[in-house]
């Protein structure tokens, strides 16, 4: 039996119909590891190494994935074909700690033909994509974790200050400062 892991349970049911009895298709339900919610989760003194934890909502599902992986002959990671999907596949691989043959497959449509073609061309994880997603996540955390509580105090509870919001806020503040510093002078032609 082969194990194919996708992100969505809806996708898993559809793909399992295409692949038949030789495959068990399970969903990861998204991320199986993340940075902790209650701390920064990044070792700023140790090369900004992220400290991942298994969220409570993912524990039961991760246990099921591990159990299925133990009895599988071959494991395919088939998360979305983007940075986030590549990172989810890497987190699954790291969590499974499997010594078996684990391969990555990608496809851009959920059809029998696309899935079968992807299975003919498995590959290793693209660590460049994984590292790009990790860098984005670490940057979001470094900027947002310290700045969001300030926004909650000064503006409104629940606001988020990530890397994009912080830059936008800075541009707005700079423009407001320019407006405040403007000295009107009479001129006409």
């Amino acid at each position: 039996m082969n194990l194919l892991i996708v992100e969505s349970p809806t996708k898993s049911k559809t793909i399992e119909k295409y692949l038949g009895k030789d495959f068990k298709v399970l969903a990861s339900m998204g991320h199986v590891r993340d940075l902790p919610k209650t701390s920064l989760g990044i070792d700023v003194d140790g090369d900004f190494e992220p400290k991942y934890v298994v969220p409570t909502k993912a524990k039961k599902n991760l246990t099921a994935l591990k159990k299925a992986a133990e009895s599988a002959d071959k494991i395919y990671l088939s998360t979305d074909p983007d940075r986030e999907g590549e990172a989810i596949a890497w987190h699954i691989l790291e969590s499974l700690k499997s010594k078996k043959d684990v391969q990555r497959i990608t496809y851009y449509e959920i059809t029998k033909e696309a899935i079968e073609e992807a299975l003919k061309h498995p590959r290793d994880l693209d660590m460049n994509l994984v590292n790009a997603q990790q860098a984005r996540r670490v940057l979001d955390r470094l900027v947002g974790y310290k700045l969001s509580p300030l926004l909650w105090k000064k503006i409104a509870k629940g606001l988020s200050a990530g890397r994009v919001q912080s830059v936008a806020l800075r541009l707005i503040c700079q423009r407001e400062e320019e407006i405040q510093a403007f000295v009107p002078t009479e001129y006409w032609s």
Side-chain angles (χ1 to χ4, degrees):
M1 191 251 338
N2 297 304
L3 174 64
L4 186 104
I5 301 173
V6 297
E7 286 181 56
S8 146
T10 306
K11 209 185 275 187
S12 71
K13 289 176 187 149
T14 304
I15 293 171
E16 197 162 52
K17 288 177 194 170
Y18 294 153
L19 297 177
K21 63 179 179 355
D22 292 339
F23 278 85
K24 181 172 191 149
V25 184
L26 296 176
S28 72
M29 313 290 238
H31 287 275
V32 295
R33 296 193 316 174
D34 199 3
L35 296 172
K37 289 190 180 295
T38 56
S39 66
L40 185 61
I42 297 161
D43 183 1
V44 291
D45 297 323
D47 289 335
F48 296 91
E49 190 70 31
K51 297 175 186 172
Y52 293 110
V53 297
V54 177
T56 306
K57 67 177 186 169
K59 285 182 181 178
K60 183 179 176 185
N61 195 43
L62 185 57
T63 302
L65 292 175
K66 285 179 181 180
K67 187 175 180 189
E70 286 172 10
S71 61
D73 298 321
K74 199 166 195 177
I75 303 167
Y76 295 96
L77 302 174
S78 180
T79 51
D80 292 350
D82 56 12
R83 270 192 322 233
E84 201 74 22
E86 202 76 16
I88 290 170
W90 176 74
H91 284 292
I92 293 168
L93 179 64
E94 292 289 305
S95 298
L96 293 179
K97 295 181 175 111
S98 179
K99 302 283 187 242
K100 297 180 181 175
D101 185 19
V102 180
Q103 300 260 280
R104 172 89 164 108
I105 63 167
T106 55
Y107 41 86
Y108 295 90
E109 58 187 46
I110 303 173
T111 62
K112 184 175 171 71
E113 296 77 25
I115 308 297
E116 288 173 348
E117 187 63 27
L119 285 166
K120 290 178 189 172
H121 304 286
R123 63 173 174 81
D124 292 330
L125 284 173
D126 184 341
M127 289 309 294
N128 289 329
L129 290 175
V130 172
N131 290 331
Q133 190 277 341
Q134 283 192 100
R136 183 199 61 77
R137 185 73 177 100
V138 166
L139 189 57
D140 277 348
R141 179 57 67 99
L142 290 172
V143 172
Y145 195 78
K146 304 267 186 195
L147 196 53
S148 291
L150 178 67
L151 286 178
W152 301 340
K153 269 194 260 178
K154 301 290 184 187
I155 301 173
K157 198 82 168 136
L159 291 176
S160 172
R163 64 195 149 74
V164 175
Q165 295 94 332
S166 301
V167 173
L169 182 60
R170 177 158 174 98
L171 291 171
I172 291 167
C173 290
Q174 286 174 336
R175 183 68 178 134
E176 185 60 28
E177 287 168 359
E178 288 174 15
I179 292 168
Q180 296 297 323
F182 178 73
V183 178
T185 56
E186 185 177 332
Y187 114 90
W188 47 276
S189 54

